[in-house]
Amino acid sequence: MYWISDDNVTWSKAVEACRNLYNNGHLVHIDNEEENDEVKAILVQANIRYGLIWIGIHDSVKEGVWTYEDGSRLTYVNWRNGEPNGGIVHGDEDCAVITKGGDYIDVNCEKWKFHFCCEYYVVIE
Ligand SMILES: [Ca+2]
Ligand SMILES: [Ca+2]
């Protein structure tokens, strides 16, 4: 299940918020094209400021090595052409947002505040 925040926060606050929100919740991990399409559809429908949301990938541990927010290995990415560019123009860019087009841009983790998408699981008994 996915949940889009009502507020704009930094990437690290988004990571924390998703962990606190639900059991086993985390900032969304987009594992494949199908999931990318789902998150993109939610974003398009959400009609939020800037049309960008944080997703759970970063390269803040080692520049150029992108992982999920918990350090696990990426299974899928959909960078926009020319991204990730590591902030050649705007300084350090170690966190990613997804756009309404479904592609990703790396931006500064702490300088920007965006809405974010948490992913969580519901146990059906
Ligand atoms: Ca980077
Ligand atoms: Ca960038």
Side-chain angles (χ1 to χ4, degrees), residues 83 85-87 93 105-107:
E83 303 282 346
N85 58 11
E93 299 187 331
I105 299 173
D106 66 339
V107 299

Side-chain angles (χ1 to χ4, degrees), residues 27-93:
L27 195 55
V28 65
H29 292 186
I30 298 174
D31 296 312
N32 51 50
E33 195 178 342
E34 191 186 6
E35 191 169 12
N36 206 66
D37 286 344
E38 284 179 58
V39 174
K40 175 182 151 183
I42 291 167
L43 171 57
V44 168
Q45 207 172 29
N47 191 32
I48 53 173
R49 203 177 167 199
Y50 306 125
L52 303 169
I53 48 173
W54 291 122
I55 55 172
I57 63 173
H58 70 140
D59 79 334
S60 46
V61 176
K62 189 164 187 235
E63 180 60 27
V65 180
W66 289 82
T67 66
Y68 290 115
E69 41 78 43
D70 60 4
S72 60
R73 209 187 161 93
L74 288 191
T75 55
Y76 175 87
V77 277
N78 188 32
W79 294 113
R80 171 170 288 189
N81 281 343
E83 303 282 346
N85 58 11
I88 293 163
V89 179
H90 298 293
D92 212 18
E93 299 187 331

